[in-house]
Amino acid sequence: MSKKIYVGNLNYSTAEDTLQAQFSSYGEVLSVAVIKDRFTQQSKGFGFVEMADDAAAEQAIGGLNGREIDGRKVRVNEAEDKPRPPRRPRGEGFERRGGYGRNSGNGQDGGRY
């Protein structure tokens, strides 16, 4: 059974190939993902590695936690398998208010400036 591993405190320049190389010395790596900002494509400083074997994953966690990769001591532990909360559909939860500024027509300030 595969196990997902969280890798935190990554250098922002660390690539998926680097993580692949580090973890593959402990066993078969199924997938590697460095999480990036959706707009800038800059790394967020953490990622996930999925390993094929639980025993190899435990060895990788023990061997790599606190080790320096690309100049930073990384935090490596088992990823929590908690479900993501449901997302609101876009546009829900926001009221439309007419205009900008203090007197935006929402009645909050009594019409005074």
Side-chain angles (χ1 to χ4, degrees):
M1 187 169 161
S2 67
K3 183 173 274 194
K4 199 169 209 179
I5 300 169
Y6 167 83
V7 185
N9 199 37
L10 287 174
N11 188 318
Y12 294 121
S13 65
T14 300
E16 292 173 348
D17 294 344
T18 303
L19 290 181
Q20 173 85 31
Q22 292 287 326
F23 280 84
S24 64
S25 64
Y26 293 94
E28 182 184 357
V29 175
L30 298 176
S31 66
V32 177
V34 173
I35 306 305
K36 298 178 181 178
D37 181 87
R38 135 181 355 178
F39 301 109
T40 65
Q41 294 303 305
Q42 168 90 19
S43 168
K44 288 190 172 189
F46 69 96
F48 296 96
V49 176
E50 187 176 7
M51 297 193 72
D53 181 37
D54 286 354
E58 291 299 327
Q59 287 180 340
I61 290 169
L64 294 173
N65 189 34
R67 183 181 285 180
E68 198 170 292
I69 298 176
D70 289 340
R72 298 199 59 180
K73 287 187 178 183
V74 296
R75 187 176 64 209
V76 181
N77 53 28
E78 186 175 347
E80 293 182 21
D81 193 21
K82 60 183 180 182
R84 294 177 80 175
R87 298 181 83 186
R88 283 194 319 235
R90 290 187 149 210
E92 208 175 283
F94 296 100
E95 290 182 30
R96 291 234 179 240
R97 296 187 179 158
Y100 299 96
R102 293 182 62 202
N103 188 14
S104 61
N106 61 11
Q108 298 285 328
D109 61 358
R112 289 178 273 138
Y113 286 99

